[in-house]
Amino acid sequence: MFEIKKPTSSNKTIRMPDKLIEKLEKLAAQNDISFNQLVIQCCEYALENLNSSDDT
């Protein structure tokens, strides 16, 4: 049976350097995705590519 799944999410306020925000906003615009989606993808990539000794 087809099941619709709705991913859960939460709001979290974080502080980033202005220059980093500018770079991420530019990259998001160039790739026609939201700033939020780009940050999520960057974080997921970083976590998936940690050295095994860095895993928590």
Side-chain angles (χ1 to χ4, degrees), residues 20-42:
L20 177 57
I21 291 172
E22 291 170 10
K23 290 178 183 179
L24 291 170
E25 287 176 332
K26 183 177 179 181
L27 186 58
Q30 290 172 342
N31 289 277
D32 195 30
I33 63 171
S34 71
F35 175 85
N36 189 71
Q37 187 57 43
L38 177 61
V39 171
I40 290 169
Q41 289 182 37
C42 289

